[in-house]
Amino acid sequence: MSSRIKEHPILGEPQKGKLVTFTYDGKELQGYEGEPIAAALKAAGVMVHRYTKKEHKPRGIFCAIGRCTDCVMVVDGKPNVRTCMTPLAEGMKVQTQYGVSDQPFDKQ
């Protein structure tokens, strides 16, 4: 976990919580409780958070301050969660977002 964001432009320097387990598209990952979900994903090498509805293009962290929607994902069944601002918690279920769904486009 060496590629962590050291200081968030809005949230400041993260207070490292305990190591927690969460799932990303069914795969078990670990991150620190309270850090932005996007930070934990980046540290795990995950760069694509969603695919655009119209052109199915990949998107990931862009502004990292909650202004854009490039980092939105389905978190615990809820779509459009800004992962750059949402704190990670034990047991979260994080899924790639396809348009406004967690289902890849060919299944929609």
Side-chain angles (χ1 to χ4, degrees):
M1 293 191 203
S2 61
S3 60
R4 294 211 168 272
I5 296 172
K6 303 276 190 248
E7 186 173 343
H8 189 280
I10 298 297
L11 303 175
E13 193 171 322
Q15 300 300 313
K16 190 184 275 188
K18 67 178 181 175
L19 196 61
V20 296
T21 301
F22 68 103
T23 61
Y24 161 69
D25 287 346
K27 180 180 176 185
E28 200 169 88
L29 298 177
Q30 290 187 315
Y32 292 101
E33 185 175 57
E35 75 178 332
I37 296 168
L41 291 170
K42 181 180 183 310
V46 176
M47 301 306 287
V48 175
H49 293 201
R50 72 177 183 99
Y51 290 88
T52 60
K53 184 175 183 177
K54 188 173 184 179
E55 296 184 30
H56 305 192
K57 291 187 177 182
R59 295 289 185 260
I61 301 172
F62 180 70
C63 77
I65 60 172
R67 298 285 297 181
C68 75
T69 58
D70 280 354
C71 72
V72 297
M73 299 181 85
V74 179
V75 177
D76 292 335
K78 181 181 176 187
N80 299 319
V81 174
R82 284 179 166 86
T83 60
C84 70
M85 300 293 290
T86 304
L88 182 65
E90 177 73 44
M92 278 185 155
K93 181 181 176 186
V94 179
Q95 296 170 273
T96 300
Q97 184 163 314
Y98 300 89
V100 294
S101 170
D102 63 351
Q103 295 297 311
F105 291 110
D106 59 327
K107 295 181 182 180
Q108 290 182 15

